[in-house]
Amino acid sequence: MRWLVGWSSTTAGAPGGTAGYDGHADDGASYGGRVGHEGETLHPVGSQLLWGDPDPLWAVGDWRPDEVRVVQADPQTRVAVLGTCGATDEQLRVGLFAARGGALRHLTAWPGSYTAIVQVGRRITVCGDLAGARPVFHTPWAGGTAYATAALPLADLIEANLDFGHLATLLAAPDVPAALQDSTPYDGVRRIPPGHALILRAGAREIAGYEPVASLAVAAPPADPDSAVGAVGDALVEAVRARLSAPRHVPDIDPGPVPGMGPAERRAARGMPVAGIGADLSGGPASGTLALLAAGLPGRPGTLLGHGTGAGERLLAVTFNDLAVGGREAEVQRAGLLAANPRLHHVVAAGGEETLPYAELDGPLTDEPGPSLVTAARHRARLAAGSADHFTGHGARQVLDAHPARLADLLMDRKRRHLVRPMAALTKADGSVLVPARVYGAARRLARTPYRAGVEGLAERLLHRSFGPDDPAGAVGASLAALTWGGPGPAARWLTGEALAEVSVRLQGAVHRTGVGPGQRPGDYRARAALARHAMDLRVLEQAAEIRSQRLHAPFLDNQVVRACRALPETLRVQPGARSAILRTVLKSAGVTDLPPGWGAPSQDSATAAARAGLRMAMDPLLTLFEAPLLAEAGLIEARVVRKALRAAAAGEPLPLDGLADLISLELWLRRLLSRRGTCWTGTPARARAVPAGIAPQRRAVSSG
């Protein structure tokens, strides 16, 4: 894990803080003058100091030298950028001067994925991203405010307990921002929303949005589809170029041969990626687009000369072939046809039963829980064959595809004729002539339902345990379930009545506090929430499946790519096959036209079959896990009910498997959190860490009235 952490104090503290990016300090004052319980200066473990007193900032973890940049205009005005940023030092300086005058959007408009922190006197500004893949957290501490890009260090700092209301909401209503609000799994640690910045002035905090939000009353001006798709292509090319222009990273040198092992087997056994740049090549349009763009741009996109294959100009393309569960043969075949490109070096990573979901229940502790914890071994098997810098297509579906609720947006804008093709596609998939009437009726109800009524309706559904069908049938059922302001999560049916009542109270309280809607159309609102949810889970996946010396790159989640995708007309998004058509146009503009037949066609999803096979294989360990689960101790579930659901799902009953994944991953995360030792900070005793008392009962909102 890598993060940055710092704080803003109410007083300037003792003078003399002269520490800089070299990571050394003159005395304790350069750390803000904070002294821990053991008489040591309080600072994060394994950190390098970027600047010191009175508002220090550290970078923690295995950052590469080129991933940490500090540009200083004067001793009290500077900007730090952590991550992959395509801006030059001069552009950083211009952005620093713009931020000094209050223009924050300049700090978020460079290609790449990064976090920008600006210090102007005693004012600290930390910018989050638009997707939520690089979040910012904060908490009151020592009369001021501490902030970080990870929640666990702040939870250690204040010895935070678990927020059981947040955990219940993750299971009952994960896609409803009104229920989650700004909470985290740790009580007292808060998250700033995507598209916002945290501004600290001498310890006082303020959260400001830097992105304009579409109005609910006035329709957006019509956008030209061709220019919008061209902007998406330009943003993707710049995002890929920013990674290619960064200095190459060579992992630790192979210490020598091992009898009976070739170089690839030796590297995989030692957990070392190939030097250079690579990409996923699943056969789908998103990963294929990134691989072809990275291989076709000028420069040296492939592995370093003398390392790995020794090709020097070829990009390592990795395809995962699931030998335990079929259903993706067509995609693997298309990946092989794409890999015929002479600029690509193709590697197929085969996975058997050991890579099924739930096959590995042990793993590292992540900052937050997420459903990716149960599939981390599956992803690690693919990434172990990858490069030191590895492109992934994560986020393309969320930023390019149309959420079903966007059909209601079209009705609100009186664009009914654009509903014909998506309804025809749903009718063809379902085979019933009643589909158009059902979908149109649901979209019309959503268009006429105010935000407050929609959230209150969800609160009533949770209170009365009204969850709908166990497994919505096909694309039509999923579309109808999504045509709301928010629906119950797939794991809600297994929560206790008290936990559901807690979430219902949170929903009703959030509506009464805000008093108005989100200022967006329902489709746009649901799409942003789905993107934030996916970005949060991708962050969990990066930490759970991390390969030493490897960086995962998801260009579709970069700020500039997200902005370009949001400018796409809704009438273009809702058409069947829109994502593959957009990416095909992007590749054509980059000079790539020889795509294999069937490229971009929707393939049979084997995730459900893999999840069910994994449940059957891991049934005994899972039943043992839920003999005395921590979730039951916290009052969120009944162990007997979950064990019954596990047996039923393994037997093939139509239960929501993603809901079981949410339950299992949350239980695994709780066990890893409570079994950890040590803390993220020096200067504190070993007991000064998050959740010091374990699962402690709390007074709930329901019981407190």
Side-chain angles (χ1 to χ4, degrees):
M1 289 177 60
R2 291 167 297 279
W3 65 85
L4 62 90
V5 61
W7 59 67
S8 176
S9 306
T10 54
T11 58
T18 58
Y21 170 57
D22 58 359
H24 300 286
D26 294 338
D27 51 31
S30 60
Y31 293 100
R34 304 297 177 186
V35 179
H37 298 283
E38 302 293 338
E40 303 175 10
T41 303
L42 187 64
H43 63 89
V45 175
S47 62
Q48 55 178 328
L49 186 66
L50 302 185
W51 59 64
D53 180 70
D55 304 314
L57 174 67
W58 293 270
V60 185
D62 59 335
W63 293 95
R64 298 175 181 174
D66 59 285
E67 291 177 332
V68 182
R69 299 164 62 190
V70 178
V71 173
Q72 182 168 315
D74 57 64
Q76 294 297 319
T77 306
R78 47 198 166 189
V79 58
V81 175
L82 287 87
T84 302
C85 180
T88 63
D89 287 351
E90 183 59 31
Q91 289 174 320
L92 292 181
R93 199 176 305 275
V94 172
L96 172 60
F97 293 146
R100 185 169 62 179
L104 301 181
R105 198 171 186 270
H106 292 72
L107 301 174
T108 66
W110 300 308
S113 178
Y114 56 89
T115 301
I117 310 97
V118 172
Q119 182 186 45
V120 180
R122 294 301 313 280
R123 187 183 71 188
I124 303 290
T125 302
V126 190
C127 294
D129 65 337
L130 290 176
R134 303 182 72 92
V136 178
F137 305 89
H138 62 92
T139 185
W141 180 74
T145 300
Y147 63 91
T149 54
L152 184 57
L154 299 184
D156 281 347
L157 189 64
I158 65 172
E159 296 186 287
N161 286 311
L162 290 169
D163 185 345
F164 295 107
H166 176 87
L167 299 180
T169 305
L170 282 180
L171 299 174
D175 294 322
V176 185
L180 291 170
Q181 302 174 44
D182 60 348
S183 61
T184 67
Y186 311 100
D187 191 19
V189 180
R190 300 296 176 183
R191 178 200 317 269
I192 69 170
H196 287 69
L198 176 67
I199 302 175
L200 305 173
R201 294 181 176 88
R205 61 186 174 274
E206 173 192 354
I207 297 175
Y210 57 78
E211 198 71 6
V213 178
S215 172
L216 182 63
V218 180
D224 176 50
D226 294 337
S227 61
V229 173
V232 172
D234 293 342
L236 272 177
V237 168
E238 288 301 318
V240 172
R241 183 177 284 119
R243 273 83 174 181
L244 296 181
S245 60
R248 294 292 191 268
H249 178 72
V250 180
D252 297 334
I253 302 300
D254 192 337
V258 176
M261 281 190 179
E265 296 173 320
R266 189 166 65 241
R267 173 185 50 77
R270 289 168 174 164
M272 296 168 53
V274 175
I277 294 180
D280 284 341
L281 189 64
S282 66
S287 62
T289 298
L290 293 178
L292 293 174
L293 284 179
L297 287 177
R300 290 176 27 175
T303 55
L304 287 175
L305 199 61
H307 294 274
T309 63
E313 292 290 338
R314 301 168 73 191
L315 181 134
L316 182 66
V318 180
T319 299
F320 180 74
N321 187 16
D322 191 352
L323 302 180
V325 178
R328 301 190 62 181
E329 292 79 5
E331 281 199 0
V332 174
Q333 184 179 6
R334 283 196 295 270
L337 295 175
L338 286 171
N341 187 319
R343 279 184 167 269
L344 296 178
H345 173 65
H346 195 208
V347 172
V348 178
E353 294 181 347
E354 72 280 358
T355 62
L356 285 172
Y358 311 103
E360 180 182 314
L361 300 181
D362 293 328
L365 173 65
T366 57
D367 190 44
E368 296 180 277
S372 290
L373 291 179
V374 300
T375 58
R378 190 174 183 84
H379 292 282
R380 195 181 301 115
R382 181 187 81 253
L383 297 175
S387 298
D389 289 278
H390 197 77
F391 285 95
T392 67
H394 286 286
R397 185 186 305 273
Q398 285 71 27
V399 298
L400 289 174
D401 285 9
H403 193 280
R406 287 192 183 272
L407 297 178
D409 295 359
L410 293 178
L411 289 180
M412 295 175 69
D413 293 339
R414 301 182 182 275
K415 298 178 180 178
R416 296 181 179 86
R417 64 185 180 89
H418 296 284
L419 277 71
V420 174
R421 289 185 60 191
M423 287 187 180
L426 289 174
T427 302
K428 182 179 179 180
D430 187 80
S432 172
V433 296
L434 300 178
V435 168
R438 295 169 60 196
V439 174
Y440 183 84
R444 191 164 178 261
R445 283 193 300 272
L446 176 57
R448 296 185 173 188
T449 302
Y451 169 76
R452 180 169 182 169
V455 175
E456 287 179 342
L458 174 59
E460 287 294 321
R461 291 182 63 186
L462 293 177
L463 200 58
H464 295 93
R465 304 186 69 89
S466 175
F467 307 123
D470 288 343
D471 190 13
V476 176
S479 298
L480 292 174
L483 281 167
T484 59
W485 279 104
R493 66 195 68 244
W494 295 300
L495 296 187
T496 61
E498 186 180 6
L500 291 175
E502 176 85 6
V503 179
S504 178
V505 168
R506 286 173 67 108
L507 281 168
Q508 293 174 352
V511 171
H512 290 299
R513 275 194 302 272
T514 56
V516 295
Q520 297 166 257
R521 285 167 167 72
D524 189 35
Y525 175 76
R526 290 296 305 272
R528 291 173 187 254
L531 175 60
R533 172 75 169 159
H534 176 80
M536 183 174 69
D537 190 45
L538 176 61
R539 180 169 171 263
V540 172
L541 172 63
E542 287 180 334
Q543 298 169 7
E546 185 176 19
I547 303 294
R548 183 182 176 185
S549 300
Q550 187 180 66
R551 295 291 188 270
L552 295 186
H553 301 284
F556 284 101
L557 298 180
D558 287 5
N559 282 348
Q560 289 299 81
V561 178
V562 171
R563 285 190 179 104
C565 292
R566 285 180 178 174
L568 290 170
E570 289 182 349
T571 55
L572 175 63
R573 286 178 182 273
V574 300
Q575 305 309 319
R579 173 163 37 111
S580 59
I582 292 171
L583 295 179
R584 186 185 294 270
T585 304
V586 169
L587 287 176
K588 184 178 179 180
S589 63
V592 180
T593 56
D594 52 343
L595 297 175
W599 184 85
S603 60
Q604 181 182 0
D605 189 9
S606 61
T608 300
R612 204 175 295 276
L615 278 176
R616 288 194 295 266
M617 289 290 300
M619 183 51 57
D620 290 339
L622 290 177
L623 292 177
T624 303
L625 182 70
F626 282 92
E627 280 294 331
L630 296 175
L631 288 174
E633 188 176 345
L636 301 184
I637 64 168
E638 291 184 13
R640 172 186 55 83
V641 173
V642 176
R643 291 197 300 268
K644 180 181 177 181
L646 289 172
R647 295 190 184 97
E653 294 188 18
L655 293 176
L657 300 181
D658 47 353
L660 289 174
D662 290 342
L663 283 174
I664 295 169
S665 59
L666 183 52
E667 176 67 23
L668 291 174
W669 182 80
L670 286 174
R671 289 175 179 263
R672 295 173 190 177
L673 177 66
L674 296 184
S675 63
R676 71 187 285 251
R677 296 185 177 183
T679 176
C680 295
W681 298 85
T682 63
T684 63
R687 65 180 181 274
R689 60 179 184 270
V691 199
I695 302 293
Q698 290 186 337
R699 189 182 184 192
R700 299 183 180 275
V702 176
S703 60
S704 64

